[in-house]
Amino acid sequence: MIRFPTELVGEELAREASVFFTEALAKLNARQFRRAVGEDLPCCARCAGCSLDEGAALQDARRLLETRAGHPVSVVAYSMGKELAAGRACRPVLIDGQRLAYQVEDGEVLDPVSKFNTEESCCCGQHDDDDDGRARG
């Protein structure tokens, strides 16, 4: 497993490296999602019931769904992988030079990590929040 040392987050090199790791994981995830055609996979890590964990190892989609805890890089790579598997071009970006997100082909920037900081239901409409703030399917 790849570990991403979060104690380096304050350094520019670590932020830039997170973009490259995200792109690589997203491409691996896209392959997994293409193979899983017909399976009802959650639209995002939050809807999968995962929690955000800055100290977690970087994980592909399959491992993220198994452990239910993901580093922000893994969370963004999950959603970006779903987009890539659907044939939608996208690339990882840093918002304000710090927060990881991804940009789709029409220029829209999507931030799946921000879903973990809200009480709102997911935009997919298939999952509602439980009282403990975790999503259910």
Side-chain angles (χ1 to χ4, degrees), residues 81-134:
K82 294 280 280 190
E83 299 276 3
L84 291 171
R88 196 168 180 194
C90 51
R91 65 185 183 96
V93 295
L94 289 171
I95 299 173
D96 300 326
Q98 302 233 353
R99 203 168 73 243
L100 194 60
Y102 67 97
Q103 184 176 30
V104 291
E105 57 195 345
D106 65 3
E108 181 183 9
V109 174
L110 301 170
D111 181 8
V113 174
S114 69
K115 289 183 178 184
F116 289 87
N117 300 325
T118 181
E119 297 294 322
E120 296 176 22
S121 295
C122 184
C123 60
C124 69
Q126 297 177 5
H127 306 274
D128 295 320
D129 286 339
D130 288 333
D131 293 333
D132 66 359
R134 291 183 50 159

Side-chain angles (χ1 to χ4, degrees), residues 4 18-19 21-22 25 58 70-78 100 113:
F4 186 73
S18 69
V19 170
F21 282 122
T22 303
L25 278 175
L58 300 187
H71 189 281
V73 169
S74 301
V75 168
V76 173
Y78 182 94
L100 194 60
V113 174

Side-chain angles (χ1 to χ4, degrees), residues 27-86:
K27 288 179 179 180
L28 289 171
N29 290 344
R31 284 183 174 176
Q32 289 180 9
F33 292 137
R34 280 189 215 111
R35 286 187 212 128
V37 173
E39 292 182 36
D40 187 24
L41 296 170
C43 71
C44 64
R46 181 176 177 233
C47 282
C50 297
S51 61
L52 197 58
D53 182 358
E54 293 268 346
L58 300 187
Q59 303 174 80
D60 60 25
R62 184 174 44 87
R63 288 184 183 89
L64 179 66
L65 294 174
E66 288 171 0
T67 63
R68 302 239 185 247
H71 189 281
V73 169
S74 301
V75 168
V76 173
Y78 182 94
S79 295
M80 190 174 151
K82 294 280 280 190
E83 299 276 3
L84 291 171

